Amino acid sequence: MEVEEHQLWGFLEKLYLNFGYDFRDYARASLKRRICHYLQLKKINSLHELWETIESNELALEQMIQEISVTVTEMFRDPTFFKSLNKHVIPRLKTYPFFKVWVAGCATGEEVYTIAIILKEAGLLERSIIYATDINQHSLKRASDGIFPIDSMKNYIANYQQYGGLGEFSQYYSAKYNAVMMNKDLSKNIVFAPHNLAVDHVFNEFELIICRNVLIYFNQNLQNKVINLFYQSLCDFGYLGLGSKESLLFTDKRKNFVEIDRKEKLFMKS
Amino acid sequence: MKSFRIILIGSSAGGLQAIMQILPELSKEYPIPIILVQHRAKEPKDLLEEVLQHKTKLKVKQADEKEKILPGHIYVAPPDYHLLIEQNETFSLSSDEPVQYSRPSIDVLFESAASVYGASLLAIILTGANQDGTQGLKAIKSKNGYTISQNPKEATFQLMPESAIASNTIDKVLNLNEIKQFLINLSNHV
Ligand SMILES: C[S@@+](CC[C@H](N)C(=O)[O-])C[C@H]1O[C@@H](n2cnc3c(N)ncnc32)[C@H](O)[C@@H]1O
């Protein structure tokens, strides 16, 4: 299945103008790959044909959006990142009577529960509100349900131990059949909401923003825009955590952040 | 003699040894950038880049997203990410699902590079115990790129080169020594 650059361009323009989904500034190679896979999966022969199927069918449109976005995630993914967060950020959060965290691009929520567990173990969960946002409504629903396949727990337990968790990971969920349900006390201060980093604006002020493995899907222009959005959304000396292969290198705000942990991509607004 | 603008190498089990036989004689001024996908575990202490650097005068570095692809380098796909190439000849990363159980996947790099470089692309598939690379080689052939497979008889693991050859996507089957010579000859023709 082959999709030409100019056809893709036209398709993305139409998608934006008609439905407000803005993928125009996404890194093309990976987006193109996802769309080609979707065409194959659905046995659709061209972008033209794809447009005809989604144009008048909201369900098909939603389904396509879900399939082309990459939702891969884990609990305590990259344990060393969370170790660093625990070491550098938690002590400061302890000094606030109340604080807000934004997990942007939270996918199916594994990362959000990770943060909730870390805050709980630091005795901070009651003092916090976590906003967890994504463009993918289907993922958000799964995130707020807090139900995950039991098979993945083995990996998460290993991650949690590598992170240096204080307790038994299994205390945070109850297992039923082949799924686990996260404890309700973890999610009582979490707000799950749709937010599109490409088009939506500042909606609150945060002491900590986590946005991992989202910026890699954006081109330089959109990366810059989103980092500016984060800058405006952070309080003075607020923290920003990115994915292990992401950086501020290509953004005009790079001088407005200090590196707290270069390897783990932890920054502070200065 | 063909002239190439990019060289891609895909390898899996047994790959490190094979690569180390190909690279040592390439000069520091080797004119064509080399990109390597070696299947690797997601280990914090994985020394692939360091080990390779000891064997070559070229600069070995893990590919970063948005990085411009330049001669004189061997770029290595980072663990746990797929590596792709954009039209403007910079890298992209993605954490999509593994392909053929692999992330990074050879197919993903090959497919994205095919539409960027067309006929000026050289792809080499080496030893491995799975079939990653075969789909990517098909994409490369459909864009008239040039493809080489390590001779399976010589490979530590045959499946990867055999699968590539069986899919009719390979222009030349060579031993490691011949691949090495092929690469050296290229630099005399640019
Ligand atoms: C690979 S997941 C990352 C999940 C998690 N942060 C992690 O690192 O494990 C990328 C997520 O970014 C979301 N995303 C993509 N574009 C977005 C946008 N414009 N605004 C908000 N979220 C977006 C996708 O829906 C997906 O859930």
Side-chain angles (χ1 to χ4, degrees), chain A residues 5 27-33 216, chain B residues 5-9 33-37 63-70 75 77 82-94 105-118 120-123 140:
Chain A
E5 193 59 28
R28 277 297 153 85
S30 153
L31 184 65
K32 196 161 147 187
R33 176 168 177 268
I216 44 171
Chain B
R5 292 202 299 121
I6 194 86
I7 298 170
L8 311 179
I9 302 177
I34 299 175
I35 306 174
L36 169 67
V37 174
D64 277 316
E65 67 128 10
K66 312 250 181 298
E67 181 170 13
K68 186 102 194 115
I69 299 169
L70 299 172
Y75 298 98
H82 292 306
L83 180 64
L84 301 95
I85 301 179
E86 298 287 342
Q87 290 297 331
N88 64 1
E89 300 180 15
T90 60
F91 289 117
S92 259
L93 298 172
S94 111
S105 136
I106 301 167
D107 282 337
V108 173
L109 174 71
F110 282 14
E111 282 169 3
S112 76
S115 63
V116 177
Y117 293 99
S120 54
L121 184 159
L122 167 63
I140 288 172

Side-chain angles (χ1 to χ4, degrees), chain A residues 22-23 26 65-66 69-75 77-78 82 103-111 133-137 139 194-200 210-218 222 226 243 246, chain B residues 81 94-96:
Chain A
D22 195 353
F23 291 99
Y26 278 47
I65 299 294
Q66 266 143 40
S69 64
V70 179
T71 59
V72 178
T73 184
E74 283 173 26
M75 290 192 197
R77 179 185 201 168
D78 306 320
F82 293 102
V103 181
C106 68
T108 40
E110 284 81 343
E111 195 176 40
T133 65
D134 203 281
I135 41 165
N136 189 324
Q137 301 268 7
S139 295
H195 182 281
N196 185 338
L197 292 167
V199 295
D200 294 335
I210 309 262
C211 183
R212 311 191 70 227
N213 301 301
V214 180
L215 294 179
I216 44 171
Y217 298 101
F218 297 168
L222 185 53
V226 173
E246 292 165 333
Chain B
Y81 288 88
S94 111
S95 63
D96 284 36

